[in-house]
Amino acid sequence: MGLEACLFDLDGVLVDTAKYHYLAWKQLANSLGFDFSEEENEQLKGISRVESLRKILAWGGVDFPQERQDELAALKNGWYVEMISEMTANEVLPGSIKLLEELKSNHIKIGLGSASKNAKLILDNTGLIPYFDALVDGNIVNKSKPDPAVFLKGAELLNVDPKSCVVFEDASAGVEAALRAEMKAIGIGAEKDLGKAHLVVSDLTHIDLKTIQNLF
Ligand code: B16
Ligand code: MG
């Protein structure tokens, strides 16, 4: 079976929103009286908002009833949304547009598979929305990666067999989700973190249609 569709994770693949997540989580941690490091932030890549909060509270050695946790998550999200509202097309990561253009002109379907509930806003602000034939985000699927649901839903909406899909992911949980969905996985980042992927590159400038087709 050959390539029919490409599914892209958002944060860490097409845009670097991890830096805004970090600033907003740090502001929240500081308001609760503890700090939060960039190393800890690395562990939140691809992890949902509620799970991220749980980890941060544990690192800070504090715990709150669910109702208070919901308020804290909403507070962080308000700050985060303020930051991403300022994003522009300049923040699209290198190689993204060239690859999306090449896929489009070759009639390969393009889908989003992100854990973020803010994905639509980010795609709108960065001008990426017209490239997508289907969007699957944290509002549509609530099972977190490594559960394959987010990518399987993408294949379903694009009306393609999962085995004909390639996933681009920067998080090891996302690579795992792609493999569980029986899709090809291209890791964006370091071999040591994403070694299970079929191919690992540092960014999308290293990928063209031929490289993707060679995986089949
Ligand atoms: P939100 P991705 C993920 O995006 C981020 O990597 C992760 O850090 C974040 O907690 C998650 O989205 C949820 O984001 O708070 O905006 O719903 O990598 O799956 O595109
Ligand atoms: Mg990601």
Side-chain angles (χ1 to χ4, degrees):
M1 183 168 299
L3 171 71
E4 281 189 273
C6 287
L7 299 172
F8 289 85
D9 173 56
L10 182 58
D11 175 27
V13 173
L14 297 172
V15 290
D16 177 20
T17 33
K19 63 185 178 211
Y20 301 125
H21 281 296
Y22 173 63
L23 289 172
W25 282 128
K26 189 174 161 65
Q27 194 169 335
L28 187 80
N30 292 351
S31 77
L32 295 171
F34 58 91
D35 208 6
F36 162 60
S37 71
E38 287 195 54
E39 291 69 42
E40 284 166 334
N41 192 56
E42 278 302 301
Q43 297 177 45
L44 304 180
K45 277 189 178 174
I47 303 291
S48 73
R49 195 181 311 164
V50 282
E51 283 179 49
S52 300
L53 177 65
R54 251 181 250 134
K55 279 179 182 276
I56 291 167
L57 295 180
W59 290 329
V62 292
D63 195 13
F64 295 105
Q66 192 54 51
E67 204 174 300
R68 179 70 181 136
Q69 290 196 25
D70 294 345
E71 284 170 14
L72 293 173
L75 195 59
K76 178 267 176 180
N77 191 55
W79 293 326
Y80 176 70
V81 167
E82 261 177 46
M83 295 179 212
I84 59 172
S85 298
E86 305 290 317
M87 285 179 84
T88 68
N90 291 333
E91 290 184 63
V92 174
L93 289 174
S96 307
I97 299 292
K98 189 161 177 270
L99 178 59
L100 292 167
E101 293 280 357
E102 189 184 14
L103 296 174
K104 265 247 158 312
S105 58
N106 285 278
H107 310 290
I108 304 296
K109 292 178 181 175
I110 301 174
L112 185 85
S114 168
S116 176
K117 295 189 173 181
N118 297 298
K120 178 85 174 22
L121 176 63
I122 297 165
L123 293 177
D124 271 334
N125 286 353
T126 54
L128 289 171
I129 205 100
Y131 291 103
F132 287 88
D133 302 301
L135 300 181
V136 182
D137 64 16
N139 299 299
I140 294 177
V141 168
N142 55 19
K143 282 189 196 151
S144 287
K145 302 165 188 176
D147 190 288
V150 64
F151 296 130
L152 290 173
K153 186 71 188 170
E156 183 193 322
L157 292 178
L158 292 171
N159 201 19
V160 294
D161 189 314
K163 291 193 175 75
S164 72
C165 296
V166 172
V167 167
F168 293 86
E169 254 295 347
D170 71 311
S172 66
V175 167
E176 184 64 37
L179 299 180
R180 286 194 201 171
E182 294 190 72
M183 296 176 178
K184 305 279 191 241
I186 298 183
I188 306 296
E191 182 75 39
K192 68 170 171 44
D193 305 318
L194 306 171
K196 281 188 173 178
H198 295 87
L199 173 68
V200 180
V201 291
S202 56
D203 60 51
L204 291 176
T205 59
H206 300 278
I207 302 289
D208 61 11
L209 180 56
K210 188 112 195 19
T211 332
I212 304 172
Q213 280 167 334
N214 283 343
L215 297 177
F216 288 85

